[in-house]
Amino acid sequence: MTSQPLALNAGIATSLIGQTVMMELVWEQDPEPLWRCFHIVGVVVPLEGLVEEGHFLVLNALQTERFPSEVFWSNIRTLTTLHRRPLEGSDQISPALGGLIRSGAALPARRNSSTVPANGSTG
């Protein structure tokens, strides 16, 4: 199953600066999508004659990185913002992970496997 990349523009992209997001990334030559969790730290918008394709400057949310990487908008199939919230009964959020692992949010499952049907339902 193929789908169109996520439609992004400068307004939407800049509103995501500072957000932690989960992205589903796709490439023509690779049939399997790749899921990654990033902090969006910047945006490069398309400018005719200067910048051909818009992209985000991102840091891996689960590892320490010194410099941001680029994620081109054309490679993003889905993007979901993640929100920090403390662990129940605790006022603390893990500084290393920003509370992402403890948020209780389910990570995307691999579809069409023996445990997850094509419709994505996990039960």
Side-chain angles (χ1 to χ4, degrees):
M1 179 176 102
T2 61
S3 67
Q4 296 294 323
L6 187 66
L8 287 169
N9 61 42
I12 293 170
T14 55
S15 73
L16 292 169
I17 294 173
Q19 296 291 317
T20 301
V21 299
M22 179 68 72
M23 290 184 193
E24 178 186 16
L25 303 171
V26 293
W27 293 269
E28 281 184 29
Q29 68 274 17
D30 192 353
E32 291 293 319
L34 183 67
W35 291 90
R36 290 291 183 261
C37 187
F38 295 115
H39 297 298
I40 297 178
V41 297
V43 172
V44 177
V45 297
L47 291 171
E48 191 174 329
L50 189 59
V51 178
E52 190 173 318
E53 188 175 350
H55 55 280
F56 290 111
L57 300 175
V58 299
L59 294 171
N60 186 318
L62 304 177
Q63 295 178 349
T64 302
E65 293 181 316
R66 191 169 174 189
F67 300 105
S69 301
E70 299 170 315
V71 174
F72 288 87
W73 297 349
S74 62
N75 297 121
I76 303 170
R77 182 184 291 164
T78 60
L79 183 150
T80 304
T81 58
L82 303 176
H83 302 281
R84 292 179 175 204
R85 59 181 170 182
L87 186 61
E88 187 175 318
S90 170
D91 293 334
Q92 299 294 319
I93 296 176
S94 168
L97 301 177
L100 298 177
I101 299 301
R102 298 195 233 175
S103 72
L107 292 177
R110 179 174 228 113
R111 293 188 179 168
N112 292 329
S113 70
S114 61
T115 58
V116 180
N119 68 2
S121 173
T122 56

